[in-house]
Each structure stands twice: as structure tokens, then as C-alpha cells.
Amino acid sequence: MNIKKVLLFCLLAFLMSFTINSQVFDPVKWETKVEKISETEYNLVSIATIDSGWHLYSQNVPEGGPIPTGFSFLENDNFELINETTESDGHTVNDPVFQMRIKFFENKAEFSQRIKVLNKELSLVEGEVEFMVCDDEKCLPPTYVDLKFKLKDDKASEAVEVPAINLTGAGATSKILEPVKWSTSVEKVNDTELILVATANIDNGWKLYAQNIKDGGPIPTRFDYSEKEGITFLGTTQEEEGEESMDKVFDMTIKYFKDKAEFRQKIKVSDVSVTTVTGEVGFMSCDDTQCTAPTYVDLEFDLTKTVKASSDIVENSASSEDESSKGLWSIFIIAFFSGFLALLTPCVFPMIPMTVSFFIKQSQSKAKGIRNAIIYGLSIIVIYVLLGTIITAIFGAQALNALATNVWFNLIFFILLVVFAISFLGAFEIVLPNSWANKADRQADRGGLVGIFFMALALAIVSFSCTGPIVGTILVEAASKGGIAPVIGMLGFSSAIALPFALFAAFPGWLNSLPKSGGWLNTVKVVLGFLELALAFKFLSQADLVLQLHILEREVFIAIWIAIFGTLSLYLFGKIQLPHDSPLKHISVGRLLFGLLTLTFTIYMIPGLWGAPLKIISAFPPPLDYSESPYGVGNSKDGSGTVEVPEGAHLLAPHDIIAFNDYETGLAYAKKVGKPVMLDFTGWACVNCRKMEQNVWVDPSVLSKLKNDVVLISLYVDEQIDFPEGEAPDSQLRPGKKLRNKGQLWSEMQTIKYKTNTQPYYVLMDHNEENLNEPVAYTPDIEEYEAWLKEGIGNFKN
């Protein structure tokens, strides 16, 4: 419709308004209010009350349509406008008169304009609204109404303070859920020690997750306290016992809380003038159908209002300590068996009979020889435990745990383990300076307890080329546990090293049963080298996943492991020899069996290149959807070959759906190909999102529509990709704060635009970003979900 038709339409509408029964219509009444966001920011809210049967049009109407609703404000130096005026959801229909899809409002509509006050004395903001309304028979000409917003007055439009999380344009029904409410209190242990208590009140049916959850699970609860002079934080934040259950989606046991949970952080106060401690808690919560996006809540603890602590924090954290002890036991056991492996290397094994014989021969009696050998073994334990203690003291318990999820930590240890592996394979030896060993030897000549200790130190230094890589690997694994795990790891490792010296000293006849040193020792060392090399790529994979670089995708990772373990199989069968290997005339039964085991494992991994889940090693390779092709190298499920993937998109496994993870990129592509957009607000840690993808999206009729009729944009609200330095946008829901990452950007977009904060949440929209039908959340019924898709796609085509 051209401009002449629009003018003609308006003229007819104007004449009709005066000729029909000479009646004057005033179907829209306007009122205003002001919402105070902060000391400098306000929302100017215009509320339209619309008579029954009449339509008020949106601010955004296609060219050639009715006159859109428009707001103008009398601007001056006292304030400035922030962004555009927002509006309620409204209704979008195909208008038979204008022959286009038009958004309009019935009964009531709210419009909101945020401003920033530059002059504290500002008390009034003036504006004007232009609008047009129609019913089923007639339209009124464009109407203009003056608006006044009083910031400092006790009348109707007085500024009313609203919560920090403000939903601009919240005239529509809000679906924002707040299933977890936080409160704070302070308990007094003594004159200098206090306990900060953060209490989570959890709505019925919802779960709040624990602080310690393995990688690949839901987002854990995390506390971040502001450092303040005069306050020392003692230990880590402790939590209640909670509940644990096996989660089939995440394939792990997950700890969570229901109804209520307390988190307690002990502090020491050295400055009595400090009256408050502030912090922030980040968390997510789920019920049986949906999960909230990662949420951040500010906490403030008033140190002037305390109650007497019923017990110290140590007694209240028994369950946390039990859980921690389980992790420490696993570290100890792994380290203990690693110590036995270290015994079977050419640097350590030959030292057993030599050292034990030395103690027995040099001692005046057998009893004294046994005693000296035991002291020698204890000295070994002390040396390695001291190493773990130093590592923990330098980095700190909490720092080690934080490092374990850090990109640079994973990259550094990838390089470190590769160097260790190459050393084990025989390219070079990692040795400590000879001067260290010489000094230890000279001290050992002094005799007595001091001499025995330095003999043990000399052993640790000389055998470092074999034990160093294993010790390094244990420390890397222990760092991911945090706390005193490095100390426990070194205790387990050194106990395995020291045990044979004490046993063979007590029973010297056993020395005759030891196998002779030979080429088999080097074989053990080479096998450890292959294992170190395979483990190294796990750390590189974690860094790649966090950065979302897609360099080490699932197929590449599996291919590398196939190559490593396949080569190890050839080595064990004698088909490959390394420079330090002895001539191999025959293969021992043990070597043959281990070679068959390794070959079986290699063959098992091959189907992983074509999408097999590989459950035995599921904790090591990247997830199925982090791959260059959802069904393996160069294949799709229907066997039709490779799928052309547009720039900025990827194939979503295992459905072979072209998906975008960026809103603007996906919208641009949808406009290019002429298809509607399906926004999928999801999360890496969203259980019910995976259920929808695994149980509903696999249906042929649903899958066909997702692959052929829409452009899928999956926005992960828990995406941890940080913004480049200095480019983090301001948070619209938490004024004065910056967004942390891309996930928060999508979360705020969902909260502000769609008035909901849970996932999964699906929206079908056109190229003007208008909804094609009502968005839906978790919809396990396949027929219902398909009908929703069909309705939205049909509306787009019409």
C-alpha cells in the first residue's frame, strides 16, 4: 500500500469519526507512572487502557500499515534517554485491510522508556504519544496526548522504587521464576571469629546444586566474597549434607538441596571498625521440567548484628568433610598404585636389592639393618610429602582448585605431560642437576639418622628421570581436587616406593625371588610414556572446550587416542622398537596379554569416529555434540553424505540439524534463506533440554521440520565464553555491573524480551523478530510439540 492509500484511508477514518451518529470516541485512556531503578535511573511508564473491541497499534508497524504508536520526549540537559521505548507483548495477526501481519494491543498496554538523570533537581519530564486505534468497523484519526512524568511528587506518577532486577516493559504476564530466595545472618564464635551464614530457601519441587560437582554436570553453587582490609577468610565455604542421586542425563551422581540449605563461611576480624562483608552467590536450580539460567545474587552480611554460634563451623561441616575424604582416598589409592608403577622403572627397581643389601651388610646386627631400612623408607615418605606440602603452601588450597578449571592451567599441563611422555619414550632424560645428587651423597656419608635421610634424598634425585613424570601427573590430578590433595597424593606415592625397602630388609630372603633387571624395565617405562601422552590430550581438550575453539573436536581426539594406543599395541607385539630397547627374541605371555588388551581397546574406539558413544571412556573425549560432524567423519544419519554448513553454524549432534549459537548471525541467515527462526534458549547443564533433544526432536516429523523448515538458533545461557577485554556490555538487569560472559547476554535477552528465565524455552519468530505463536517451554508430548511447530511455520508462510 503506497502513501496515497494511507492518506486516503486516514481521511476516510477522519470523516467516519464525525458522521457515525455524530459520536465522539475516546477509546484509549493514558496514565503515567515512574519507577525508580537507582539514584540516577528511572523508567517512565505510559499505561494505555483500551476500551473493549478496540485495537491500539504497536510502535513497530510495517511500511504501508496503520499509524504506529510513537513517543517523543521534551529532551534537555537534565536527563538523557537510554535505549528505545519498549512495549508489552501484544498480539500479532494477519490484517485483511492492510494485507500484512500487524501487532496490536487489547484492553491494556504498557510502554516504558528508561532515562538517566543528569541533574538531581529534575522533578518533571514531559512527552507526547501519537497513536491510532481501530475496531472491527472503523478507525480513528491519529491522536496526540501529552504525557507528564513526575519524579518528585506524591501524586499518581511519583517515582516508586523497584527491585534491582527490573523487567523493562513488564506489562505482559511475567514468567520470571525465583525458586531460590537468599537471606544472610552472622554467628559469633568468639571475639575475633564469626561465621557468615547464607541461607537458601528453595521452592517446593526445585533443586539447588552443591558447590562441588564434576565437570560435565550442572552449574555448581559458588560464593565469591569481596576482599576487605581487616577480614581474613578461614577455609572454604561449608555446606549441609543435602541429597545425592544418580542423574541419567549427566551420567553421574549429583548432590543437591531441597527446601532449605545453609552455607557457612568462617572469618577472622582484626579490625573492629569493619561492619559489613559483601559477596555474591552464583547458582542454578531445576525442577522436573525446567532449569533457571545461572543466576547471581548480591549478599551483604551485617557484622553488627550477630547471634551466638551453637557450634563451630568444623562440627557443622562433617558431611562436607566426609565427601572430601572420599575424594582424598581416591587420590591416595591412585597415587599408591602409581608408586608401584614407578618401582618397575629402570631408575628405581635395581635400587631395591642394592640398597637393602647395603643396610644389612653395613649394620652391626640384622635388627639394626631392618631398623635402618625402615627409617630409609620413612625418609622417602617425608621427602615426597614435604614436596606436596610445599606445592599446597605456595599455591593455596583454593587456588589449586580454581586452577584446575583454568584454561592456562590445562594448556601448561598439556605441554608438561607431553614433555614427560617424550622423556619416558627415550628421547631424553629429565634429570636434576648432578651437584644436587653429589651434595646429598656427601651428607649421606655422615651416617646416623641424618645420613640415612640424605641417602633417601639422593635416591629421589637420581631416580627423578623416571619418578618425576609420574609425580607431576599425580600433582596435576590432585590439583583438581584442591585442599590437601597434593599432600595425600605424595603420601600414597611415596608409601608404595618405601614399602619394598622395609619388607625386603625384614625378609632378605625375598630378594632372591625378585626378577632380574633387564629390558622389561624399559618396556614398562615406554608404556607409561604412551599413557602420559594420551592423558595429556585430556587437558588440551578441556581448554579447547572452555574456549569453544573447535580445534580438538571429538573425532580428532578419538583419532589421536586410536593412533596412540594402536602404536602401543604394535610396540608390545614387537613390531616397533625404540633406541633404548633390548633385542626382543620372543614375547612373554604377560606382554602378549597386555598387547591384546591394548589392541582390543584400540578397536573399541574406532566406531567412535562415526558417532558411537564409547561409554567406557565417556569422561575423556569431548561430548557428542562437540564434533565436526554429528555422525562421524564425512557422514550423516541418512547416509546422504556431507552436509553443507553455513558460515557461523555447526551441525547439532546427533540430529544433523544446522544450528547457530549467535543470534545476529542466525537471524541474518534466516532472512537470506527465507525461513522462520526458532530460538532455543538452552544450557549445557540443562537436563530437560537434553531430554527434549533426545526424546522429542528425534521424532521423524519433528526432526524434518527442525532440519528443513526453520533456522535453529541455540542460545546457551550458561555459556562461559568471556567477552574480550574492555568489551563486556553493561547488564540491563543489574545496573552498574558488567555481563560476565556470552551466557549472561542470552539469559538477559530471554528475561527482558520474553519475561521468563527458565530453560528449555522455544520461540518461533519472523524476520521482524515478532512471535509467530505463543512460545513454549518443556513439552515432552511429541504431538503437542509438532503441532506447535506446524502452527508457527504455517503463520510464517501466511
Side-chain angles (χ1 to χ4, degrees):
M1 184 177 290
N2 57 32
I3 188 66
K4 291 182 179 179
K5 290 183 179 181
V6 175
L7 291 174
L8 178 61
F9 179 84
C10 293
L11 178 61
L12 289 174
F14 181 78
L15 293 174
M16 288 174 65
S17 67
F18 283 93
T19 58
I20 300 178
N21 298 325
S22 300
Q23 184 176 357
V24 177
F25 294 98
D26 186 18
V28 181
K29 314 295 190 299
W30 290 89
E31 60 178 307
T32 63
K33 69 176 181 179
V34 178
E35 296 177 342
K36 184 177 180 181
I37 305 303
S38 66
E39 292 302 319
T40 59
E41 291 190 359
Y42 295 80
N43 277 342
L44 309 182
V45 182
S46 304
I47 304 170
T49 302
I50 309 161
D51 289 351
S52 178
W54 289 85
H55 298 162
L56 172 69
Y57 292 101
S58 168
Q59 298 176 95
N60 301 304
V61 173
E63 185 177 353
I67 302 297
T69 300
F71 291 84
S72 60
F73 297 89
L74 187 59
E75 295 187 58
N76 51 53
D77 294 337
N78 294 323
F79 73 97
E80 61 181 23
L81 302 178
I82 301 177
N83 299 324
E84 303 292 329
T85 303
T86 60
E87 63 187 24
S88 310
D89 283 348
H91 306 278
T92 303
V93 298
N94 291 310
D95 192 290
V97 176
F98 293 99
Q99 297 180 358
M100 62 178 64
R101 290 181 61 79
I102 300 177
K103 177 180 176 181
F104 63 87
F105 306 100
E106 291 181 310
N107 301 322
K108 189 175 182 180
E110 282 194 13
F111 302 83
S112 181
Q113 172 65 58
R114 184 166 293 193
I115 67 168
K116 182 176 182 179
V117 175
L118 305 177
N119 182 358
K120 294 182 179 180
E121 300 301 318
L122 178 67
S123 60
L124 178 69
V125 175
E126 296 183 84
E128 181 184 73
V129 57
E130 175 190 12
F131 63 96
M132 173 179 178
V133 289
C134 298
D135 64 7
D136 293 337
E137 299 177 350
K138 55 188 172 296
C139 293
L140 301 184
T143 305
Y144 302 87
V145 172
D146 292 331
L147 303 173
K148 293 185 178 182
F149 304 89
K150 297 179 181 180
L151 277 61
K152 294 182 178 181
D153 192 84
D154 57 357
K155 296 180 181 179
S157 61
E158 180 184 4
V160 179
E161 190 162 352
V162 297
I165 297 181
N166 175 266
L167 300 179
T168 308
T173 302
S174 175
K175 301 176 184 176
I176 300 299
L177 296 180
E178 192 182 356
V180 182
K181 284 86 175 175
W182 291 89
S183 60
T184 61
S185 60
V186 181
E187 296 181 359
K188 185 176 181 180
V189 179
N190 53 49
D191 289 339
T192 60
E193 293 182 344
L194 303 174
I195 297 175
L196 309 180
V197 182
T199 304
N201 292 292
I202 308 161
D203 287 353
N204 185 38
W206 287 81
K207 299 176 183 177
L208 173 69
Y209 293 101
Q211 297 177 93
N212 299 308
I213 293 178
K214 296 178 183 177
D215 293 339
I219 301 296
T221 300
R222 288 180 179 167
F223 290 86
D224 182 18
Y225 302 96
S226 301
E227 297 291 336
K228 183 173 285 190
E229 188 104 13
I231 298 293
T232 303
F233 292 89
L234 305 176
T236 58
T237 302
Q238 303 297 313
E239 63 188 26
E240 295 182 338
E241 185 174 352
E243 300 179 33
E244 287 190 4
S245 63
M246 182 66 188
D247 191 290
K248 294 180 180 179
V249 175
F250 291 110
D251 193 25
M252 64 175 68
T253 300
I254 298 177
K255 179 181 175 182
Y256 58 88
F257 306 98
K258 286 185 173 182
D259 301 325
K260 187 176 181 179
E262 280 190 355
F263 300 84
R264 304 161 68 82
Q265 172 65 56
K266 194 172 184 178
I267 64 171
K268 185 173 183 179
V269 181
S270 57
D271 184 353
V272 294
S273 65
V274 178
T275 58
T276 60
V277 172
T278 58
E280 181 183 75
V281 57
F283 64 97
M284 74 176 289
S285 54
C286 299
D287 66 3
D288 292 336
T289 63
Q290 57 200 334
C291 294
T292 61
T295 307
Y296 302 90
V297 172
D298 293 326
L299 302 174
E300 183 171 345
F301 302 88
D302 189 345
L303 306 187
T304 63
K305 298 177 181 179
T306 64
V307 296
K308 185 177 180 180
S310 57
S311 59
D312 203 345
I313 197 168
V314 176
E315 298 175 23
N316 291 338
S317 59
S319 60
S320 296
E321 290 178 356
D322 290 342
E323 183 179 340
S324 177
S325 66
K326 293 178 184 177
L328 294 179
W329 270 113
S330 66
I331 285 289
F332 179 87
I333 293 170
I334 292 171
F336 188 79
F337 283 104
S338 299
F340 274 124
L341 285 176
L343 279 173
L344 302 178
T345 59
C347 309
V348 182
F349 187 81
M351 302 293 292
I352 298 174
M354 292 170 53
T355 306
V356 172
S357 298
F358 171 81
F359 280 123
I360 293 176
K361 291 177 182 178
Q362 296 297 320
S363 302
Q364 297 173 354
S365 64
K366 181 181 178 180
K368 190 171 183 181
I370 294 174
R371 188 202 68 177
N372 289 341
I374 292 174
I375 294 173
Y376 180 72
L378 291 174
S379 298
I380 293 173
I381 294 176
V382 169
I383 289 168
Y384 282 102
V385 169
L386 189 61
L387 173 63
T389 304
I390 292 172
I391 293 294
T392 304
I394 291 175
F395 292 101
Q398 293 183 1
L400 281 173
N401 193 32
L403 278 174
T405 57
N406 183 273
V407 171
W408 288 108
F409 175 93
N410 285 283
L411 289 175
I412 290 170
F413 277 99
F414 162 72
I415 296 171
L416 186 63
L417 292 183
V418 168
V419 172
F420 286 163
I422 294 173
S423 171
F424 268 164
L425 293 174
F428 54 83
E429 286 194 355
I430 303 173
V431 294
L432 295 176
N434 290 330
S435 59
W436 292 16
N438 294 335
K439 290 179 180 178
D441 282 337
R442 287 195 294 270
Q443 293 295 328
D445 292 338
R446 294 169 56 181
L449 296 180
V450 175
I452 294 174
F453 176 83
F454 278 98
M455 282 185 66
L457 181 59
L459 171 68
I461 294 172
V462 171
S463 63
F464 183 78
S465 60
C466 291
T467 60
I470 301 176
V471 168
T473 305
I474 294 171
L475 289 173
V476 170
E477 177 62 23
S480 66
K481 305 294 182 183
I484 61 170
V487 178
I488 299 300
M490 290 300 94
L491 177 62
F493 178 82
S494 57
S495 296
I497 294 285
L499 188 61
F501 292 96
L503 288 177
F504 284 112
F507 306 99
W510 290 4
L511 290 173
N512 297 325
S513 63
L514 279 178
K516 302 297 181 182
S517 300
W520 68 273
L521 290 174
N522 188 68
T523 300
V524 173
K525 187 177 176 182
V526 170
V527 170
L528 288 174
F530 278 105
L531 296 178
E532 290 268 357
L533 189 60
L535 182 61
F537 283 94
K538 172 58 178 172
F539 288 94
L540 182 61
S541 171
Q542 288 175 333
D544 184 59
L545 273 170
V546 173
L547 295 175
Q548 291 288 297
L549 298 178
H550 289 270
I551 296 174
L552 194 62
E553 293 176 315
R554 184 178 176 86
E555 296 91 342
V556 178
F557 183 96
I558 293 173
I560 290 172
W561 269 37
I562 290 172
I564 291 173
F565 286 97
T567 306
L568 175 57
S569 301
L570 293 175
Y571 174 80
L572 291 170
F573 290 136
K575 302 301 182 182
I576 296 174
Q577 283 196 319
L578 295 175
H580 293 82
D581 287 328
S582 302
L584 188 64
K585 295 181 181 180
H586 64 274
I587 300 175
S588 66
V589 175
R591 181 165 178 161
L592 175 64
L593 292 176
F594 191 63
L596 288 172
L597 179 65
T598 307
L599 180 60
T600 302
F601 179 63
T602 304
I603 296 172
Y604 166 78
M605 288 190 292
I606 292 175
L609 296 173
W610 285 272
L614 304 181
K615 292 185 178 179
I616 293 177
I617 60 169
S618 60
F620 289 92
L624 281 166
D625 58 348
Y626 195 77
S627 57
E628 61 182 63
S629 177
Y631 307 105
V633 182
N635 284 277
S636 63
K637 190 172 184 179
D638 57 9
S640 60
T642 57
V643 178
E644 184 178 350
V645 181
E647 185 178 355
H650 66 280
L651 289 176
L652 181 67
H655 308 301
D656 203 13
I657 305 172
I658 293 176
F660 293 83
N661 290 140
D662 182 77
Y663 181 80
E664 297 297 338
T665 306
L667 180 59
Y669 179 75
K671 292 178 179 178
K672 178 181 176 181
V673 298
K675 294 181 181 180
V677 169
M678 186 176 111
L679 293 182
D680 166 29
F681 288 98
T682 181
W684 297 110
C686 173
V687 176
N688 293 303
C689 301
R690 302 294 86 77
K691 288 181 180 178
M692 286 292 295
E693 294 162 9
Q694 294 168 12
N695 301 328
V696 178
W697 287 15
V698 295
D699 179 78
S701 55
V702 172
L703 186 58
S704 175
K705 291 178 175 61
L706 294 177
K707 292 173 67 173
N708 303 313
D709 299 332
V710 301
V711 173
L712 177 64
I713 305 178
S714 294
L715 303 178
Y716 289 84
V717 298
D718 54 0
E719 185 68 78
Q720 297 299 303
I721 299 177
D722 293 334
F723 294 102
E725 186 72 27
E727 296 184 18
D730 293 329
S731 170
Q732 296 185 50
L733 299 182
R734 305 178 72 200
K737 298 204 173 188
K738 297 284 187 182
L739 295 182
R740 295 167 176 259
N741 45 51
K742 276 291 186 70
Q744 269 198 299
L745 178 65
W746 307 137
S747 177
E748 287 207 352
M749 173 185 174
Q750 181 191 6
T751 303
I752 294 171
K753 191 169 184 178
Y754 300 105
K755 315 300 184 295
T756 183
N757 62 338
T758 60
Q759 297 77 47
Y761 192 73
Y762 307 105
V763 179
L764 284 170
M765 69 179 197
D766 60 21
H767 299 160
N768 294 320
E769 303 176 64
E770 298 291 341
N771 292 354
L772 294 170
N773 55 359
E774 191 69 23
V776 297
Y778 180 64
T779 312
D781 186 291
I782 294 176
E783 292 184 2
E784 182 182 348
Y785 192 75
E786 183 197 359
W788 174 79
L789 280 171
K790 187 176 180 179
E791 177 193 19
I793 295 169
N795 289 339
F796 178 81
K797 292 179 179 178
N798 293 332

